[in-house]
Amino acid sequence: GPPPAPFREAPPMLFIRLLVLIPLSGAGCYWLTLYVTAPIIRLSHAVRQFAAGDHSIRVGSELAARKDEISQLASDFDFMASRIESLISSQRNLLRDISHELRSPLARLRVALELCRQKGEAESKKYLNRIERESERLNQLIGETLTLNRYDSGVPLPVESLIDLERLIREIVEDADFEAQGFNRGVKLVSCDNCTVKGSEESLRRAVENVVRNAVRYTSEGSVVEVSLRQSGEGKECHALVTVRDHGPGAPEDTLSMLFKPFYRVDKDRDRLTGGAGLGLAITEAAVRLHRGGVSASNAPGGGLLVEITLPLS
């Protein structure tokens, strides 16, 4: 039969078409390759910059218009970079604050030791007691720093089990009330629902104890710290709510969000006298976060600080 129509054309016309189509196809392939590989190359450069120490590098805004998997990857990179930058910044601030906190007791230790050398045996006993007190404070500071670092590093909880939160809160209140009576203060349990949560009992005990002891420290002399445990919400949103309310001076509104930051103090001079290292509430926040809960502080009506801890029920 006769050859197909394209082959019946004159050879010069076929060559002309090929000469037009081949460059166009090559240009199309080049554009498509560039469209796919250019953002990947940009991401690769950003990763290298980040690894070299430029933690502020971001690429999401440059690739947001694509609306495809690569733009999603860029967005994920930005989220990762922001999180790592925040963690690095927190670690730097923590190291700076630790070095500052360690200088004070170390300086007092040096002074006490020098006075011991200059005084007789009878007089040196007072300075030896001071050395012991400062050493204990240093040991506490180091222990709390290690605990906070372990929580913030994302290490899984040591032991997870079902915890009778009602029993735990009652024990904490009883112990805290016994200690508070020595300072003409008290701690009472206002209400206590039957709640069960899952997690590390040791971590939760320390988290709640830190809040209660902080409340005892700042509540007015002769007053009582009020603690309650109740179920809140419905269905899957049901959770345990622990509230601790003192009758102290409270805190300025603009500092409430900072109370759970490491080494933060509203009144630094007063807190140093009470022996606080500024890590108790930070440990509470980290421990509660590991239990998939949250903690917040507010000024209670009528005065005093109100701290609320929420924990998902098991």
Side-chain angles (χ1 to χ4, degrees), residues 28 31 41 62 72 84 90 132 141 143 166 199 209 217 221 304:
W31 179 85
I41 293 172
E62 300 176 30
Q72 181 61 47
I84 293 175
S90 297
E132 181 182 14
L141 175 60
E166 178 187 4
E209 277 183 343
R217 182 180 298 145
E221 190 172 347

Side-chain angles (χ1 to χ4, degrees), residues 32-46:
L32 183 62
T33 302
L34 192 64
Y35 181 78
V36 173
T37 60
I40 296 177
I41 293 172
R42 178 69 186 97
L43 273 170
S44 178
H45 287 163

